[in-house]
């Protein structure tokens, strides 16, 4: 049975258990399990215990608290936490302690969530296996020899292992959904602009989005409700009210049209994954959904358009790491040029350097039109593909990944091979729509398979509703 | 050997006078302690995002409208990349692809009475960088310190077409543009504080030729005076090269104000690929017809209109009106004086002659002047009421500039009130006549010159406080010459 934070919150509200007791149960379990998983870069149990006591005291005094007050949560180490070091799993920020909270962290605190630590990731969110962390590799709780996926591998592994069952990740090309699929938990990449990016250390600003990991869709819906909403600090956040995602979960989904794009079931898809997804689609049909065929014809250009876009933006976003104001600074530099060059040579790992170089090239005068602008035109075509497809269906269902989790070290020597593990997820970021990965059976090795459900812009309510009823109906 | 003539274009950077920075809410007070007007956003810390300051955008838009620019329906921001320690993100948010104004124009009035139009290529809004400080103490030698107070200040860049052909046009254009910016209340244009800066693009071509020559770009020019000196220097340098049959190299040169020369920047610094691309953190700004209309309605009376009104409303000469209207603060100063005391011609004289000279000598802006409009009104009223003489008033004005005291207090504390009391003055007049029998005799014989001499003596004995009218009448009466 998956762990439910929503149920735990109900017990907290009923005073059947105190926040302090939740912590005393969690922390030893977390520390023990984390020795195998290496899911966390930084743990802050003392701070979490102290905050748990505060919540208990306030509850005892009869103060009105958020319904979720006292729930523990892990936060990906790409999201700024005031007073807790935020490293992006990079030598560059190994000692960086932000003087401010990300908007989502501020919201978590306002709701009384207790941050237990910062989770490991691919350096600067660049990677698909968490093997690009400058510190250590995180392991998949389903099989310790395998990667948890990435870049939010620490958050996915923690959520799947219940240490705790709620975590935050970020998703630029699949970095929430792919590790959720690999580890066997739920992961949501919301519509671009649904959740504030203020305080999310930028990788590719036009694609990045913060989202929740959980063991249940219900918890995912609860956490999205906390995170979502327009933020005056983020000009790209979307205005308008946030629906009550939890209340909507039980609505009637009969007649929902599920689009199946042939392009996502083509060559390269592992037959066992395909078989599990097909079973998943049957379950949806059993729930009264109607399956229709749709086309997303520009899918094959998605990976190329994605890498041109994200590397270009990364080369710009990562220019600030020069050792002047914050972060690592190289010793013994002769002049400012040497200082920046040495600082960056020492502070960044190989994949980050590779992407900065690619992106610098993409934006160079003489290449800008051929690479960056062309990628933006492809992006527009992909966006239109989705708009057209959503004219025929309400949601789209695909596999989240072409294979289940691979072994550590298996793909590290071939970056292109690694990039292809995001083949089904990057287009969703390019289009700016929402995508969720929900557990959908296991392959013959017992490894989790993830089914991706995609909604139009701001279609999270319907998306979560169908995913929730699917999760309850589908025997894993 | 052909004669050469210059072709000049300008890039003008002006800091907008908003209360907060262009993409965050840091304050913008000039001269604060280093790194005290900063925040995670202006420091470019990991994770922060820019949000456009609407007031800064409206000031930029107002300027673009006032300069007759074409305003697009949408305008966007781009990132301009270069590495420098005073640029925290190592990119500057600017506008390259869709600036907020294009194809504007500024009319300038030249000495010969003609008017010329200088075209504006584009106007765009961007953020300023910080400053490097090179400490001069032995312990800190070779170090550079970074002050980021200025980082993120709103900067408006106005780029002209190469329409300026003479130094006179160059000077008048800069003065006219400065006047417009101050009239619009978009910038203080205080050159000493760097809120108005210039980059000069200059090339030479044979007189009458159509084709442009190779241009140089001169950076680091901080004042109108310096631009004129730099232009003069470049005209001479390039002409000498061309006359010697050599070529001008297309390059960026730095103006050295102390040495009065431009010099080449190292080629490494010139080789530039800014890798512009649209800033994904800032959505396009849509400029609706409504918004445009509202801003257009807020445009203040500009220089030409004000000059005409001053002649009609205050009855001052065209020339006076022209001088007073060159600057909005000066014009406001004049009108404040007139509201307090109805002597427009006296005020325009005092402002044009005494006040402007004092300001120029002290390199001071009118806003910072200790002789405020109410104080000048008080001074002029004292002259007109006969409390002090015109000459004493000039001394009082200087004293106000020095001490920041009010004119009335200075007159009182120094005992400068004019003596108009006949009885008091008569004793002095008798004394002077007795001491100067020769000139006294001359006056009796009708020699006007001698009367002036005796007046001077009376003034000396009274430290200038004698009422000249009363004094003259007394002398004439006593010497029977009147």
């Amino acid at each position: 049975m998956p762990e439910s934070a929503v149920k735990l919150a109900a017990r907290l509200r009923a005073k059947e258990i105190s926040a302090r007791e939740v912590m005393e149960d969690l922390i030893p379990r977390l520390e023990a399990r984390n020795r195998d998983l290496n899911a966390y870069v930084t743990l802050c149990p003392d701070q979490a215990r102290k905050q748990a006591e505060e919540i208990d005291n306030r509850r005892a005094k009869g103060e009105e608290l958020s319904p979720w007050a006292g729930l523990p949560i892990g936060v990906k180490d790409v999201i700024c936490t005031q007073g807790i070091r935020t490293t992006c799993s990079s030598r560059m920020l190994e000692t960086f302690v932000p003087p401010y909270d990300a908007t989502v962290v501020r919201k978590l605190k306002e709701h009384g969530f207790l941050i237990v630590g910062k989770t490991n990731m691919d350096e600067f969110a660049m990677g698909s296996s968490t093997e690009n962390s400058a510190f250590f590799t995180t392991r998949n709780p389903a099989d310790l020899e395998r990667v948890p996926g990435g870049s939010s591998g620490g958050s996915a592994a923690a959520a799947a292992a219940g240490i705790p069952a709620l975590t935050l990740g970020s998703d630029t090309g699949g970095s929430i959904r792919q590790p959720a699929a690999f580890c066997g938990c739920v992961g949501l990449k919301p519509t671009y602009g649904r959740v504030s990016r203020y305080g999310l250390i930028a990788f590719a600003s036009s694609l990045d989005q913060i989202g929740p990991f959980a063991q249940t869709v219900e918890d995912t819906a609860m956490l999205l409700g906390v995170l979502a909403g327009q933020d005056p600090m983020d000009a790209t956040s979307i205005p308008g009210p946030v629906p009550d995602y939890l209340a909507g979960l039980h609505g009637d989904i009969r007649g929902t049209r599920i689009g199946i794009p042939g392009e996502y079931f083509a060559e390269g898809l592992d037959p066992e994954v395909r078989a599990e997804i097909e079973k998943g689609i049957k379950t949806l049909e059993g729930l009264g959904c109607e399956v229709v065929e749709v086309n997303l014809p520009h899918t094959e250009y998605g990976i190329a358009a994605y890498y041109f876009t994200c590397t270009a933006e990364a080369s710009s976003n990562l220019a600030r790491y020069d050792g002047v104001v914050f972060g690592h600074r190289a010793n013994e530099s002769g002049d400012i040029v040497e200082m920046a060059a040495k600082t960056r040579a020492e502070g960044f790992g190989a994949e980050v350097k590779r992407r900065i170089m690619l992106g610098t090239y993409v934006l160079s005068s003489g290449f800008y039109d051929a690479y960056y602008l062309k990628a933006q035109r492809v992006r527009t075509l992909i966006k239109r593909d989705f708009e057209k497809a959503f004219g025929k269906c309400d949601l789209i269902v695909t596999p989240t990944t072409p294979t289940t989790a691979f072994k550590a070290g298996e793909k590290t020597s071939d970056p292109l091979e690694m990039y292809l593990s995001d083949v089904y997820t990057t287009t969703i970021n390019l289009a700016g729509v929402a995508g969720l990965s929900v557990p959908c059976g296991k392959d013959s090795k017992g490894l989790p398979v993830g089914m991706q459900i995609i909604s139009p812009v701001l279609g999270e309510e319907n998306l979560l509703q169908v995913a929730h009823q699917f999760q309850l109906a589908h025997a894993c | 050997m052909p004669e050469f003539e210059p072709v000049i274009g300008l890039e003008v950077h002006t800091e907008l006078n908003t209360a907060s920075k262009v993409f965050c809410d840091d304050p913008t007070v000039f001269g604060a302690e280093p790194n005290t007007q900063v925040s995670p956003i202006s420091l470019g810390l990991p994770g922060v995002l820019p949000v456009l300051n609407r007031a800064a955008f409206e000031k930029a838009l107002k300027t673009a409208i006032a300069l007759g620019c074409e305003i697009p329906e949408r305008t966007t921001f781009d990132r301009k990349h270069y590495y420098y320690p005073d640029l925290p993100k190592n990119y500057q948010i600017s506008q390259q692809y869709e600036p907020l104004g294009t194809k504007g124009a500024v009319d300038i009035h030249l000495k010969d009475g003609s008017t010329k139009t200088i075209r504006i290529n584009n106007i765009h809004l961007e953020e300023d960088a910080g400053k490097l400080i090179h400490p001069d103490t032995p312990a800190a030698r070779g170090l550079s310190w970074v002050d980021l107070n200025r980082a993120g200040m709103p900067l408006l860049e106005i780029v002209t077409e190469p329409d300026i052909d003479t130094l006179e046009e160059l000077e008048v254009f800069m003065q006219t543009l400065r006047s417009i910016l101050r009239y619009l209340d978009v910038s203080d244009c205080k050159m000493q504080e760097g809120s108005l800066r210039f980059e000069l693009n200059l090339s030479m071509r044979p007189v009458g030729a159509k084709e442009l020559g190779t241009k140089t770009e001169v950076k680091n020019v901080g004042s109108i005076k310096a631009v004129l000196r730099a232009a003069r220097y470049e005209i001479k340098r390039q002409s000498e090269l061309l006359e010697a049959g050599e070529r001008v190299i297309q390059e960026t040169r730095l103006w050295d104000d102390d040495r009065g020369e431009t010099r080449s920047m190292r080629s490494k610094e010139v080789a530039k690929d800014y890798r512009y691309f649209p800033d994904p953190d800032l959505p396009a700004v849509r400029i609706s017809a409504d918004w445009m209309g509202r801003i257009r309605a807020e445009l203040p009376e500009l220089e030409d209109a004000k000059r005409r009104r001053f002649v009609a409303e205050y009855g001052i000469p065209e020339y006076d009106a022209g001088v007073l209207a060159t600057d909005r603060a000066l014009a406001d100063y004049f009108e404040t004086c007139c509201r307090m005391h109805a002597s427009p011609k006296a005020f325009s004289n005092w402002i044009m002659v005494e006040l402007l000279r004092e300001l120029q000598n002290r390199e001071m802006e009118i806003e910072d002047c200790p002789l405020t409009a109410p104080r000048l009104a008080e001074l002029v009223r004292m002259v007109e009421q006969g409390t002090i003489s015109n000459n004493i008033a000039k001394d009082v004005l200087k004293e106000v500039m020095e001490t920041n005291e009010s004119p009335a207090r200075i007159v009182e504390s120094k005992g400068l009130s004019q003596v108009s009391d006949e009885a008091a003055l008569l004793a002095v007049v008798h004394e002077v006549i007795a001491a100067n029998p020769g000139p006294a005799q001359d006056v009796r014989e009708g020699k006007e010159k001698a009367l002036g001499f005796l007046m001077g003596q009376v003034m000396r004995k009274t430290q200038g406080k004698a009422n000249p009218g009363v004094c003259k009448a007394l002398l004439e009466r006593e010497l029977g010459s009147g």
Side-chain angles (χ1 to χ4, degrees):
Chain A
M1 268 301 278
E3 255 187 76
S4 165
V6 167
K7 290 203 179 92
L8 178 59
R11 293 179 60 209
L12 279 162
R13 286 197 298 275
K15 298 185 188 168
E16 291 168 25
I17 188 169
S18 69
R20 177 75 195 206
E21 285 164 343
V22 171
M23 274 303 150
E24 291 317 326
D25 166 64
L26 171 66
I27 288 166
R29 246 188 327 119
L30 188 160
E31 283 172 345
R33 191 77 168 112
N34 190 47
R35 276 192 279 279
D36 295 331
L37 296 178
N38 276 329
Y40 283 89
V41 175
T42 304
L43 285 171
C44 30
D46 297 338
Q47 194 176 322
R49 279 194 186 100
K50 215 177 125 241
Q51 284 164 355
E53 270 168 27
E54 278 167 30
I55 294 288
D56 289 337
N57 290 340
R58 288 172 59 195
R59 205 188 298 280
K61 280 189 218 148
E63 272 184 50
E64 193 160 329
L65 299 174
S66 156
W68 320 119
L71 288 179
I73 192 165
V75 175
K76 188 180 181 182
D77 213 15
V78 71
I79 298 170
C80 285
T81 40
Q82 186 173 356
I84 305 173
R85 105 188 146 129
T86 300
T87 69
C88 275
S89 291
S90 178
R91 296 282 170 220
M92 189 63 89
L93 293 177
E94 196 167 356
T95 58
F96 174 64
V97 178
Y100 75 102
D101 273 330
T103 296
V104 292
V105 170
R106 180 178 55 73
K107 288 185 170 192
L108 288 180
K109 288 179 176 174
E110 284 167 6
H111 280 269
F113 285 86
L114 309 173
I115 295 171
V116 297
K118 305 296 293 286
T119 61
N120 196 27
M121 54 188 275
D122 286 300
E123 184 178 7
F124 282 97
M126 298 177 189
S128 309
S129 66
T130 314
E131 290 167 295
N132 293 335
S133 166
F135 307 134
F136 41 75
T137 304
T138 297
R139 300 296 171 158
N140 190 321
D143 177 349
L144 294 180
E145 288 197 356
R146 292 178 187 268
V147 300
S151 66
S152 314
S155 285
I163 55 168
L166 288 180
T167 56
L168 291 192
S170 70
D171 189 318
T172 305
S175 282
I176 290 175
R177 291 157 289 154
Q178 184 255 23
F182 277 16
C183 294
C185 58
V186 182
L188 169 66
K189 191 227 58 107
T191 301
Y192 183 77
R194 178 77 285 194
V195 176
S196 168
R197 290 185 296 118
Y198 187 74
L200 169 66
I201 298 178
F203 158 20
S205 315
S206 74
L207 303 162
D208 294 343
Q209 192 60 194
I210 292 171
F213 282 101
Q215 293 192 3
T216 68
V217 176
E218 187 183 33
D219 283 359
T220 307
M222 176 273 286
L223 196 46
L224 179 65
V226 170
L227 305 175
Q230 190 179 23
D231 178 10
M233 303 297 279
D234 177 359
T236 64
S237 63
I238 299 175
V242 177
D244 185 344
Y245 296 114
L246 268 182
L249 290 180
H250 308 285
D252 190 355
I253 63 166
R254 280 173 300 177
T256 302
R257 294 166 303 162
I258 302 290
I260 308 293
E263 295 83 355
Y264 285 68
F265 292 82
E267 201 186 335
L269 175 60
D270 180 281
E272 291 192 32
V273 173
R274 171 195 281 267
E276 291 306 317
I277 298 300
E278 282 168 354
K279 280 188 227 163
I281 294 169
K282 285 271 179 305
T283 299
L284 287 171
E285 284 181 305
L287 289 167
C289 294
E290 180 192 324
V291 171
V292 295
E293 264 183 48
V294 293
N295 288 101
L296 296 167
H298 296 94
T299 300
E300 61 172 312
Y301 306 111
I303 285 274
Y306 171 75
Y307 276 95
F308 283 135
T309 304
C310 79
T311 56
E313 293 183 12
S315 74
S316 173
N317 285 328
L318 272 64
R320 71 188 66 199
Y321 302 97
D322 58 6
V324 175
V325 178
F326 53 83
H328 176 69
R329 179 193 287 185
N331 287 325
E332 310 267 322
S333 299
D335 59 21
I336 47 175
V337 177
E338 196 190 328
M339 183 177 97
K342 274 179 78 177
T343 294
R344 292 166 70 78
E346 294 170 6
F348 289 140
E351 182 62 25
V352 173
K353 285 177 188 162
R354 176 160 36 238
R355 295 202 192 186
I356 290 172
M357 284 188 279
L358 263 170
T360 304
Y361 184 75
V362 166
L363 290 179
S364 296
S365 82
F367 300 103
Y368 177 76
D369 289 8
Y371 295 129
Y372 184 79
L373 278 190
K374 186 169 267 179
Q376 300 323 298
R377 283 196 289 273
V378 171
R379 195 170 173 178
T380 303
L381 294 174
I382 286 174
K383 207 177 273 184
R384 281 199 203 131
D385 277 0
F386 276 101
E387 283 163 8
K388 266 190 218 161
F390 282 125
K392 288 197 219 161
C393 65
D394 303 306
L395 299 168
I396 292 172
V397 165
T398 75
T400 307
T401 55
T403 66
T404 52
F406 46 87
K407 286 190 172 158
E410 198 180 315
K411 296 191 177 184
T412 41
S413 59
D414 186 350
L416 270 184
E417 175 87 355
M418 186 77 89
Y419 294 174
L420 286 175
S421 67
D422 294 327
V423 66
Y424 300 144
T425 47
T426 54
T427 46
I428 282 73
N429 300 74
L430 288 169
V433 297
L436 173 142
S437 182
V438 59
C440 181
K442 285 180 175 158
D443 71 2
S444 54
K445 297 185 210 77
L447 297 172
V449 170
M451 181 170 86
Q452 177 171 243
I453 312 179
I454 306 160
S455 83
V457 164
L458 295 183
E460 281 88 349
E461 234 183 327
N462 190 20
L463 168 60
L464 289 162
Q465 191 179 60
V466 169
H468 172 66
Q469 298 187 28
F470 170 81
Q471 192 180 28
L472 294 183
H474 196 69
C476 290
Chain B
M1 181 63 69
E3 285 278 307
F4 292 96
E5 61 182 13
V7 177
I8 302 170
L10 279 177
E11 289 168 30
V12 184
H13 286 95
T14 183
E15 221 153 62
L16 299 177
N17 56 356
T18 50
S20 55
K21 292 183 178 179
V22 59
F23 296 116
C24 64
D25 58 10
D26 297 358
T28 54
V29 180
F30 178 78
E33 283 294 298
N35 298 312
T36 55
Q37 305 206 349
V38 295
S39 63
I41 300 177
S42 55
L43 292 176
L45 292 192
V48 299
L49 296 171
V51 174
L52 178 62
N53 174 346
R54 200 178 157 92
F57 186 83
E58 288 200 341
K59 281 180 190 271
L61 188 57
K62 191 163 140 188
T63 311
I65 293 171
L67 296 185
C69 287
E70 287 179 12
I71 312 290
E73 278 174 22
R74 57 171 249 157
T75 180
T76 54
F77 292 91
D78 303 295
R79 295 182 180 178
K80 174 181 180 176
H81 299 86
Y82 62 93
Y83 276 87
Y84 207 68
D86 67 5
L87 188 66
K89 304 185 293 295
N90 286 316
Y91 63 78
Q92 177 194 29
I93 303 176
S94 183
Q95 299 194 286
Q96 170 75 4
Y97 297 117
E98 297 175 77
L100 69 84
T102 55
K103 296 183 190 165
V106 173
D107 283 345
I108 57 173
H109 304 298
L110 301 172
K111 270 205 293 279
D112 65 3
S114 66
T115 296
K116 179 168 178 176
T117 300
I118 307 297
R119 291 170 302 155
I120 303 295
N121 176 288
N122 77 82
I123 295 183
H124 60 267
L125 180 61
E126 57 191 23
E127 56 179 343
D128 208 345
K131 273 181 194 162
L132 287 193
I133 299 167
H134 304 286
D136 205 17
T137 58
R141 188 154 302 145
L143 290 178
S144 298
W145 291 339
V146 184
D147 175 9
L148 295 175
N149 281 351
R150 203 180 67 180
M153 293 279 277
L155 205 56
L156 191 66
E157 181 168 345
I158 301 168
V159 184
T160 76
E161 296 288 356
D163 287 350
I164 301 167
D165 299 324
T166 66
L167 290 175
E168 189 206 348
E169 288 174 19
L170 182 60
E171 182 171 14
V172 176
F173 172 77
M174 290 188 286
Q175 283 164 347
T176 306
L177 185 64
R178 183 170 183 275
S179 158
I180 293 171
L181 295 172
R182 282 168 61 94
Y183 264 102
L184 295 172
D185 188 28
V186 296
S187 173
D188 303 330
C189 293
K190 291 188 180 175
M191 283 174 272
Q192 313 88 288
E193 296 180 6
S195 64
L196 186 63
R197 315 197 283 269
F198 303 92
E199 276 171 44
L200 179 70
N201 290 301
L202 190 147
S203 63
M204 302 297 292
R205 66 179 168 196
V207 172
K210 282 266 183 301
E211 248 169 76
L212 293 174
T214 306
K215 71 167 182 184
T216 57
E217 191 183 331
V218 184
K219 285 185 185 279
N220 195 35
V221 219
S223 70
I224 290 178
K225 233 185 254 174
V227 173
L228 293 170
R229 287 174 70 207
R232 211 169 285 130
Y233 180 89
E234 271 301 294
I235 289 171
K236 183 160 177 284
R237 188 186 70 86
Q238 292 188 19
S239 300
E240 283 171 1
L241 279 174
L242 295 168
E243 277 157 16
E246 291 177 45
R247 284 175 38 208
V248 173
I249 304 165
Q250 176 154 4
E251 62 179 351
T252 301
R253 299 177 70 86
L254 269 186
W255 170 247
D256 184 329
D257 204 56
D258 295 331
R259 293 189 181 183
E261 61 181 33
T262 67
R263 56 168 187 273
S264 183
M265 283 172 82
R266 281 175 299 144
S267 60
K268 201 165 82 175
E269 292 170 72
V270 183
K272 55 190 175 189
D273 179 354
Y274 291 129
R275 305 195 309 282
Y276 283 104
F277 85 109
D279 192 325
D281 291 330
L282 291 162
V285 180
R286 309 238 159 232
I287 304 168
S288 66
D290 268 12
W291 196 7
M292 285 271 288
R294 197 147 36 75
I295 295 205
R296 206 182 286 279
E298 285 168 10
L299 286 183
E301 177 187 47
L302 291 183
E303 187 178 342
D304 283 356
K306 195 164 298 236
R307 190 180 58 233
R308 287 193 294 272
R309 182 168 65 79
F310 277 11
V311 172
E313 191 174 328
Y314 298 106
I316 56 174
E318 180 87 30
Y319 174 80
D320 291 24
V323 173
L324 293 173
T326 44
D327 186 82
R328 181 178 181 171
L330 193 65
D332 288 348
Y333 184 100
F334 168 72
E335 290 205 274
T336 308
C337 288
C338 291
R339 269 199 299 279
M340 309 195 73
H341 183 72
S343 293
K345 181 57 190 156
F347 288 124
S348 88
N349 284 345
W350 276 97
I351 292 169
M352 290 193 305
V353 183
E354 303 297 329
L355 183 63
L356 287 182
R357 187 177 57 221
E358 287 294 325
L359 291 176
Q360 206 158 26
N361 289 344
R362 290 162 204 267
E363 292 190 1
M364 188 182 266
E365 304 289 345
I366 186 119
E367 292 96 319
D368 305 327
C369 179
L371 185 79
T372 56
R375 283 175 171 180
L376 180 61
E378 183 182 309
L379 191 69
V380 168
R381 196 184 295 120
M382 284 194 284
V383 172
E384 291 183 356
Q385 290 171 347
T387 314
I388 53 171
S389 70
N390 223 42
N391 280 335
I392 293 278
K394 287 177 191 172
D395 296 337
V396 172
L397 184 146
K398 285 199 180 73
E399 193 72 20
V400 174
M401 297 297 288
E402 290 296 331
T403 63
N404 196 16
E405 288 282 355
S406 80
R409 179 161 301 186
I410 291 167
V411 168
E412 193 196 321
S413 70
K414 298 210 158 185
L416 296 175
S417 289
Q418 191 159 260
V419 180
S420 307
D421 175 8
E422 281 196 26
L425 285 177
L426 194 59
V428 182
V429 166
H430 284 153
E431 233 174 274
V432 166
I433 290 172
N436 300 282
Q441 189 53 39
D442 288 349
V443 173
R444 288 190 191 98
E445 288 166 14
K447 291 180 183 159
E448 277 293 312
K449 239 182 169 175
L451 183 65
F453 171 78
L454 292 178
M455 285 274 294
Q457 294 304 304
V458 175
M459 285 296 170
R460 241 175 70 183
K461 281 198 179 295
T462 57
Q463 284 99 43
K465 291 187 288 185
N467 181 319
V470 176
C471 204
K472 186 162 175 259
L474 284 175
L475 276 170
E476 284 171 348
R477 199 180 76 198
E478 293 302 304
L479 296 171
S481 68

